[in-house]
Amino acid sequence: MIQLNDRFAKSGQVVERTIGGERLLVPLGTSQARLDGMYSLNELAGAIWDQAVSGKTAQQIVESMTQAYDVQTDKAASDVLRTLSELVEAGALALDH
């Protein structure tokens, strides 16, 4: 389970590409089966990804999202934690201990 004090690192199992204006995470080699193809990042997921791979904690990402998107903290926390969990589960991010 993802915690607010967790930090993340890009797993090395994906590369990020922008194709036709769409941000994609493309699996490398054998990780393709795990990711089940490409993973598309919408605006919010892209912002979360950028901050996660830059070394910010989940809490710092939540704080950034509340300011950037004028959303309540609990809603931002729910969205951020869900997105981070999906990216970890997909193998795109790893917990950085």
Side-chain angles (χ1 to χ4, degrees), residues 33-52:
R34 184 172 181 192
L35 267 176
D36 193 27
M38 292 182 278
Y39 197 87
S40 177
L41 300 176
N42 64 21
E43 180 184 348
L44 179 61
I48 292 169
W49 168 266
D50 290 342
Q51 293 182 64

Side-chain angles (χ1 to χ4, degrees), residues 34-72:
R34 184 172 181 192
L35 267 176
D36 193 27
M38 292 182 278
Y39 197 87
S40 177
L41 300 176
N42 64 21
E43 180 184 348
L44 179 61
I48 292 169
W49 168 266
D50 290 342
Q51 293 182 64
V53 299
S54 76
K56 290 188 177 179
T57 65
Q59 179 64 47
Q60 290 170 318
I61 298 169
V62 168
E63 291 166 2
S64 173
M65 294 297 106
T66 58
Q67 293 173 2
Y69 293 96
D70 191 30
V71 63
Q72 296 294 322

Side-chain angles (χ1 to χ4, degrees), residues 2-23:
I2 303 297
Q3 304 294 318
L4 289 171
N5 62 340
D6 286 338
R7 290 185 190 276
F8 306 87
K10 188 174 162 185
S11 72
Q13 296 181 20
V14 298
V15 293
E16 181 182 353
R17 297 287 185 256
T18 301
I19 301 172
E22 185 175 8
R23 290 179 70 184

